[in-house]
Amino acid sequence: MLIGFDLKEKIKDLKRSGKKTPKDIFDIGVAYWLLNPDEEEYTPENLSRKYLHKNFDGSNIEFDELYRFAEKKIKEYKLDKLFYEVEMPLIGVLADMEVLGIKIDLKNLKALDKDLGKNIEDLAKIIYQEAGENFNINSSQQLSRILFEKLKIDSRGTRKTKSGKISTDIDTLMDIREKHPIVQYILNYREFYKLQSTYAMPFQELIGKDGRLHTTYVQTGTSTGRLSSQNPNLQNIPVSSRASISESAKADKTIGDDWAVRLRKSFVADKGYKLAAFDYSQIELRVLASLSGDPKMIDAFNNDLDIHKMTAANVFNIPLEKVTPEERRIAKTLNFGVIYGMGANAFAETSGLSVLQARKFIDEYFSDFKRIKEWQGQVKEHARKTGYVINLNGRRRWLLNAVSMFRGEAAEAERAAINMPVQGLAADIVKMAMVKINEDLKKKDWQDKARMLLTIHDELLFEISEDIIKEAEKLIANLMETVYELEVPVKVNVKTGKDWGTLE
DNA sequence: CGCATACGCGCC
DNA sequence: AAACGGCGCGTTTGCG
């Protein structure tokens, strides 16, 4: 048995040097993360100080003590199954994905970088002209001064930041878009600058000698059970952009392409392979329906209805056929908001309704889906009574603030409480699918023909050899749908293509 | 100069 | 004052 910290790194080394990897492993950091997923860092130093009440001396005796304490507690909290059957086997899967990486079309990425750079320069010139002076557009403080002090744009209804300056965030800029031509230029500038500085430029530096981009998954990176991705984060690649292609770029062959799609087109399949994205359909809402046992919600999923449309029909008391796109949009916001414990103010803000209307719709929602409200009430009560919440697999999060004397803190803990069992079970399902898929692909000797590349919370991205793609699609989608049984069907959508920007 | 913080924003 | 759960990251700004 291999026991220690950062076993993913050790296993990656073994894999890279072609050595066999041990079957039984115990990652001490991951174990402590299961015991409490909200620690700052899962290092021997921190854990020793907190759980053994001593300063870490680096001795084997102390490693052993940390291990034995964790092992005991994992049993005590009934986290064995999650730890030994999901998290530990997952380490090898993550190691494979990290070592393999995803192929990048560097030419495309460089061209995008260049086009973005040109647009940024052009926009900056226009913005300086409109402002009547040169300033740092990237500084929200300077921008706030230009917009609201120098140009005196009407700031009624805007929000202030902590430091007292009027906010220049996207919502504020959208609100004042009609009031001065400079605003639209700023919006476009922001979008282009983000794409270039966060994605197009740093990615070029991070591409390996193999022409592929290798992320690092942090298994102890979240409080809910999800994975996080860093250096680079491949879980927040833009999906679509708002800004249209500028005149200067229209001249070339990228016409019609969305800027974000152009970025995604830089992620490509190897020769002889295709990319395949497997996407869980509404996994969190299905989990919520299942956990709460809400009959209307369960019925909707059993009948494969459009869940947001169904919600709209209920909240607005109209037949399904009468639901307008606007009503569906509001219902969709409501569905997601409910998972997050959203209040009337936030709902009003994101949906464009008045706070009064927002309040009314939330009330209507909870009277239509009574079991959801009941379930949330039970979870909150559990958190207050015990100081923690668990999901169906025993995954645990401590929420001692649920009884905080500060209302804000207590409310925050309650929102985290109702979200964790949902987000956390969805995360477990994806992880279990990842482990099972890798096992089955190995059994079929398909590890080189169907390679798992990325996991993006409810989506798995594969690179699959063209000769087996149909078969592999069925196998993988089926495993994902059946790895964990809910009270409603679990559904997976599959899209394939030569690159990440054009999947069908 | 490095570091922490505020701000802003990309994703699910 | 904040008011929506979970992340990582780039830039600016102020501080030591």
Side-chain angles (χ1 to χ4, degrees):
Chain A
M1 172 129 104
L2 179 61
I3 302 168
F5 285 85
D6 286 323
L7 295 190
K8 174 152 60 66
E9 285 311 309
K10 296 191 171 77
I11 286 169
K12 278 163 78 173
D13 286 340
L14 291 174
K15 282 181 189 282
R16 277 190 284 243
S17 53
K19 291 188 186 129
K20 268 208 181 161
T21 54
K23 191 144 176 45
D24 279 328
I25 59 176
F26 191 108
D27 190 299
I28 302 173
V30 174
Y32 279 93
W33 171 70
L34 275 191
L35 296 175
N36 176 9
D38 285 293
E39 300 287 354
E40 290 281 317
E41 272 190 322
Y42 294 88
T43 57
E45 292 77 14
N46 272 350
L47 298 172
S48 193
R49 189 171 350 100
K50 165 137 190 204
Y51 292 94
L52 305 180
H53 311 291
K54 56 175 107 168
N55 283 324
F56 186 65
D57 62 9
S59 67
N60 283 336
I61 298 172
E62 212 162 306
F63 267 110
D64 197 52
E65 229 178 309
L66 276 172
Y67 159 64
R68 283 194 321 235
F69 184 76
E71 202 257 355
K72 186 182 83 187
K73 287 287 179 189
I74 288 284
K75 264 192 212 135
E76 196 179 310
Y77 288 151
K78 301 199 184 341
L79 288 163
D80 337 32
K81 211 164 177 220
L82 204 51
F83 183 75
Y84 294 105
E85 291 176 28
V86 182
E87 298 293 350
M88 289 307 100
L90 185 66
I91 291 177
V93 181
L94 298 176
D96 282 340
M97 295 164 82
E98 291 181 14
V99 169
L100 179 56
I102 182 165
K103 189 176 177 186
I104 299 296
D105 177 350
L106 184 55
K107 263 192 187 156
N108 184 27
L109 194 60
K110 278 188 170 160
L112 173 63
D113 183 14
K114 204 176 145 206
D115 288 351
L116 286 168
K118 176 149 179 35
N119 277 282
I120 289 165
E121 270 182 45
D122 291 350
L123 282 164
K125 277 187 197 139
I126 299 173
I127 290 165
Y128 298 149
Q129 234 163 46
E130 291 285 345
E133 67 178 283
N134 287 8
F135 67 103
N136 189 343
I137 307 169
N138 296 323
S139 162
S140 50
Q141 283 188 42
Q142 292 181 40
L143 180 62
S144 188
R145 182 183 63 79
I146 294 287
L147 295 182
F148 300 109
E149 291 174 32
K150 183 159 185 197
L151 299 178
K152 299 198 186 329
I153 296 177
D154 180 6
S155 62
R156 277 173 302 179
T158 56
R159 291 177 305 102
K160 292 220 168 99
T161 63
K162 269 184 195 167
S163 56
K165 286 269 192 307
I166 295 174
S167 172
T168 66
D169 69 9
I170 222 168
D171 290 336
T172 308
L173 294 183
M174 289 298 274
D175 284 345
I176 61 168
R177 189 152 54 150
E178 312 284 297
K179 293 179 180 171
H180 197 290
I182 196 173
V183 180
Q184 185 57 56
Y185 295 124
I186 304 273
L187 282 166
N188 287 345
Y189 174 95
R190 281 254 176 92
E191 182 164 350
F192 294 141
Y193 197 88
K194 177 90 179 178
L195 278 166
Q196 190 187 44
S197 68
T198 308
Y199 306 101
M201 282 180 61
F203 283 7
Q204 295 176 51
E205 303 299 314
L206 291 167
I207 296 174
K209 290 194 182 95
D210 54 358
R212 301 175 75 101
L213 207 44
H214 304 262
T215 186
T216 301
Y217 290 103
V218 184
Q219 204 170 356
T220 57
T222 72
S223 310
T224 55
R226 277 186 178 177
L227 295 160
S228 72
S229 154
Q230 62 179 205
N231 305 314
N233 182 356
L234 295 183
Q235 291 179 324
N236 72 343
I237 307 300
V239 175
S240 66
S241 65
R242 215 188 30 69
S244 52
I245 295 279
S246 75
E247 294 306 317
S248 58
K250 267 186 188 165
D252 70 46
K253 64 183 164 58
T254 63
I255 188 162
D257 262 7
D258 187 290
W259 288 93
V261 172
R262 274 186 76 184
L263 174 63
R264 283 198 168 217
K265 280 187 173 177
S266 304
F267 293 77
V268 297
D270 209 349
K271 198 171 283 177
Y273 288 77
K274 277 192 160 181
L275 293 184
F278 298 77
D279 204 308
Y280 276 108
S281 161
Q282 310 289 1
I283 187 70
E284 292 197 348
L285 280 173
R286 286 173 199 263
V287 166
L288 178 64
S290 190
L291 293 176
S292 67
D294 189 89
K296 276 198 194 119
M297 196 69 73
I298 288 179
D299 201 54
F301 283 123
N302 279 338
N303 292 302
D304 204 24
L305 295 185
D306 175 335
I307 192 69
H308 303 312
K309 207 178 198 181
M310 181 283 290
T311 303
N314 274 282
V315 171
F316 294 101
N317 292 307
I318 51 176
L320 270 179
E321 321 81 68
K322 286 271 173 70
V323 174
T324 66
E326 174 66 3
E327 287 161 340
R328 185 183 182 279
R329 186 188 65 81
I330 290 171
K332 184 177 175 181
T333 309
L334 207 40
N335 272 329
F336 282 111
V338 163
I339 295 177
Y340 304 148
M342 185 167 66
N345 288 299
F347 179 43
E349 194 65 42
T350 40
S351 63
L353 299 168
S354 72
V355 178
L356 218 65
Q357 282 175 308
R359 173 87 273 153
K360 204 186 93 196
F361 285 135
I362 291 174
D363 289 346
E364 177 70 29
Y365 185 96
F366 282 125
S367 80
D368 286 331
F369 306 102
K370 289 196 174 60
R371 293 286 286 273
I372 293 179
K373 190 172 179 86
E374 282 168 26
W375 177 81
Q376 292 191 336
Q378 286 164 17
V379 174
K380 287 188 221 172
E381 193 188 340
H382 182 273
R384 283 193 296 267
K385 274 191 176 154
T386 64
Y388 68 86
V389 287
I390 51 170
N391 79 353
L392 275 187
N393 294 325
R395 190 184 290 280
R396 176 177 293 245
R397 182 176 186 185
W398 297 92
L399 291 166
L400 304 176
N401 273 343
V403 289
S404 169
M405 54 187 294
F406 301 106
R407 297 172 74 97
E409 271 184 10
E412 193 181 341
E414 285 190 344
R415 292 194 297 273
I418 59 169
N419 179 257
M420 186 272 173
V422 177
Q423 191 181 121
L425 188 60
D428 290 352
I429 294 171
V430 177
K431 286 177 167 180
M432 291 162 80
M434 291 168 72
V435 170
K436 186 81 168 80
I437 290 166
N438 245 31
E439 277 173 12
D440 284 25
L441 290 177
K442 223 164 261 177
K443 273 186 209 152
K444 292 193 76 122
D445 207 27
W446 272 2
Q447 23 334 13
D448 295 318
K449 294 208 163 201
R451 316 150 161 171
M452 198 182 296
L453 302 182
L454 300 178
T455 168
I456 306 148
H457 309 307
D458 63 355
E459 172 186 349
L460 297 176
L461 188 71
F462 283 76
E463 187 174 47
I464 303 177
S465 176
E466 282 171 28
D467 58 313
I468 63 152
I469 191 141
K470 279 291 157 212
E471 238 184 305
E473 268 180 51
K474 271 190 211 154
L475 174 76
I476 293 167
N478 188 258
L479 286 173
M480 290 173 74
E481 287 174 345
T482 56
V483 73
Y484 195 96
E485 198 147 326
L486 296 176
E487 301 299 317
V488 295
V490 175
K491 196 176 154 194
V492 168
N493 296 317
V494 190
K495 287 182 177 178
T496 60
K498 284 306 286 182
D499 64 70
W500 206 7
T502 44
L503 299 179
E504 279 177 29

